[in-house]
Amino acid sequence: MKITFPILTLCKGGAQRMLAELANGLVRRGHDVTIIMPTYGDLEYDIICKLIRTPGYEFAETDYPISDVIVSNFYTIIPSAQAASDNGKGTHVRLSLCYEPTFLPENHVTFRTYHMPNLLVLSKWQQQMIYLNHGVKGHIVPVGISSTFKNFHIRSPHDSLQISAIIRIPEGGYSWHREQEYLIEQLELVKQLHPEVIINLLCPPKELASSLQLQQLKNNCNFRFLTPENDAELCYHYNYSDIFVSSSTYDTAGLPGLEAMKCGAALVTTYSGGNLDYCRHEENCLLSYRYENRLSQDILRLIRDTDLRTRLALAGEQEAAKWTWENSVNAFEEGISQILQKSR
């Protein structure tokens, strides 16, 4: 099958990681996969499919090769992908990595782009939300975890306890859902009560280098900034983390929490929607709703209760083992096959 992915950028991030993993996985299955990307788009993931750089900042219908399927992933791509589909270049399928109307500005524009039948989503929560708003029930393609992420069993009970969280560039407004001000506030409370713990903030190096707000935070806080360059380094930091913290309140999937669980860290998280597909409070993590304002209390609970921390970490690792990119590619193929059968 010939599949075209129009992708704006493949910079570090969960959504971009999923696109890269799906494209590579489909190539390994024998599919003919092409990514078209503007010249300005970053390429921070290794890909094994064909890559075509397009000349403009926006895709035009003429940029698309003839395919069986065109898989769009963001609202600005929808018009050109649909135009290419209307001109016989392939069936247009939308892979919704986030539900833009409640996530980004201009919801009067983004909402209308979901009036289309061929839809893939990442989680039950996202599926239900779009179905309620548009009457379209998307096929679920869950996220996965790379085999790079594993538990090396290198934590030592005699070392200082380490708590880690991911922080992203706040400029531009794309990180509001991460509730990073709340995260820092809660981590500071923990540090005040337990100054002996090491608190790590993991950040993509390019984002730290380009963000004045992150640089100011680094200079003014008592936390350690770590800038992993690749998955191997990120896995290393996960493995030294006894507790991983996520403060996001709006995520279609929530990949970092799963990765940290796979590496043996106990997860403390806020409800973000999509993470309910793998989070079970007091079974494999501690989960709170944002209004409860309980993030620091849950972290403190795991600092002080070693048995609970160990039990949740073990259950989390067992849960995370179920989430593979192979399963994701299987679900993608199944969804595409169903869509193509209906369109015949």
Side-chain angles (χ1 to χ4, degrees):
M1 185 184 303
K2 291 185 177 181
I3 305 171
T4 296
F5 286 87
I7 299 175
L8 295 174
T9 184
L10 283 175
C11 59
K12 293 295 183 183
Q16 292 76 21
R17 179 186 293 277
M18 183 165 195
L19 291 172
E21 293 284 356
L22 284 177
N24 287 342
L26 290 166
V27 171
R28 295 187 185 101
R29 298 282 181 92
H31 297 286
D32 184 355
V33 179
T34 299
I35 290 176
I36 61 173
M37 182 186 295
T39 53
Y40 69 85
D42 290 330
L43 185 59
E44 296 182 352
Y45 289 100
D46 294 329
I47 58 170
I48 59 176
C49 63
K50 290 180 289 188
L51 173 66
I52 298 175
R53 291 286 190 173
T54 61
Y57 282 88
E58 296 180 356
F59 293 116
E61 183 277 330
T62 53
D63 293 326
Y64 290 77
I66 295 176
S67 308
D68 297 300
V69 180
I70 298 169
V71 184
S72 63
N73 63 81
F74 195 59
Y75 79 99
T76 59
I77 303 174
I78 300 299
S80 63
Q82 188 58 48
S85 181
D86 292 341
N87 284 337
K89 291 188 173 181
T91 300
H92 180 200
V93 178
R94 181 179 193 154
L95 171 61
S96 178
L97 301 172
C98 68
Y99 182 58
E100 297 98 334
T102 51
F103 180 72
L104 299 175
E106 297 189 331
N107 54 9
H108 65 291
V109 175
T110 61
F111 188 88
R112 295 172 181 172
T113 65
Y114 278 85
H115 299 330
M116 56 177 293
N118 301 335
L119 181 67
L120 305 175
V121 296
L122 307 191
S123 61
K124 295 177 184 177
W125 168 77
Q126 185 192 15
Q127 182 190 60
Q128 293 167 357
M129 178 169 50
I130 295 175
Y131 182 71
L132 285 172
N133 285 332
H134 303 274
V136 179
K137 192 171 185 180
H139 183 91
I140 296 176
V141 179
V143 296
I145 310 173
S146 168
S147 59
T148 300
F149 296 103
K150 61 186 69 176
N151 188 353
F152 296 138
H153 301 283
I154 56 177
R155 296 174 183 84
S156 170
H158 305 295
D159 293 341
S160 297
L161 203 71
Q162 294 198 35
I163 302 168
S164 297
I166 287 178
I167 194 163
R168 302 296 298 272
I169 184 170
E171 289 93 341
Y174 289 96
S175 297
W176 68 264
H177 64 295
R178 296 178 177 274
E179 301 279 359
Q180 293 182 163
E181 296 85 356
Y182 173 60
L183 173 67
I184 298 303
E185 167 197 296
Q186 296 293 291
L187 291 176
E188 286 176 340
L189 290 173
V190 171
K191 188 69 173 177
Q192 289 172 13
L193 293 172
H194 284 274
E196 76 281 3
V197 303
I198 297 172
I199 297 180
N200 305 309
L201 296 180
L202 311 178
C203 180
K206 286 187 177 180
E207 294 191 13
L208 178 59
S210 62
S211 171
L212 291 177
Q213 292 185 48
L214 290 181
Q215 292 168 21
Q216 291 171 355
L217 175 63
K218 180 183 178 183
N219 293 332
N220 296 330
C221 73
N222 293 319
F223 310 144
R224 182 168 66 175
F225 264 75
L226 301 172
T227 53
E229 291 278 356
N230 50 46
D231 286 352
E233 289 186 21
L234 181 58
C235 177
Y236 175 84
H237 295 314
Y238 282 148
N239 266 270
Y240 273 105
S241 303
D242 299 279
I243 301 169
F244 183 81
V245 183
S246 173
S247 58
S248 178
T249 53
Y250 188 94
D251 263 323
T252 49
L255 190 54
L258 267 174
E259 292 172 344
M261 290 164 74
K262 182 75 178 298
C263 295
L267 178 64
V268 174
T269 184
T270 47
Y271 165 82
S272 64
N275 61 355
L276 277 195
D277 281 4
Y278 63 86
C279 286
R280 295 182 296 279
H281 178 56
E282 296 202 354
E283 291 185 27
N284 62 13
C285 69
L286 294 183
L287 181 144
S288 61
Y289 289 90
R290 176 62 181 87
Y291 78 89
E292 295 176 299
N293 195 29
R294 208 182 68 212
L295 197 65
S296 62
Q297 296 174 42
D298 283 347
I299 298 170
L300 292 169
R301 185 179 170 194
L302 291 193
I303 291 174
R304 296 163 181 171
D305 191 337
T306 303
D307 291 341
L308 176 62
R309 187 174 72 243
T310 301
R311 178 172 65 81
L312 293 181
L314 179 60
E317 186 177 350
Q318 292 171 344
E319 172 65 29
K322 305 173 186 176
W323 295 71
T324 67
W325 288 119
E326 183 179 1
N327 290 340
S328 305
V329 175
N330 286 339
F332 181 91
E333 287 184 319
E334 180 182 340
I336 293 295
S337 295
Q338 291 178 6
I339 288 170
L340 292 179
Q341 287 175 4
K342 290 179 182 179
S343 64
R344 287 171 184 166

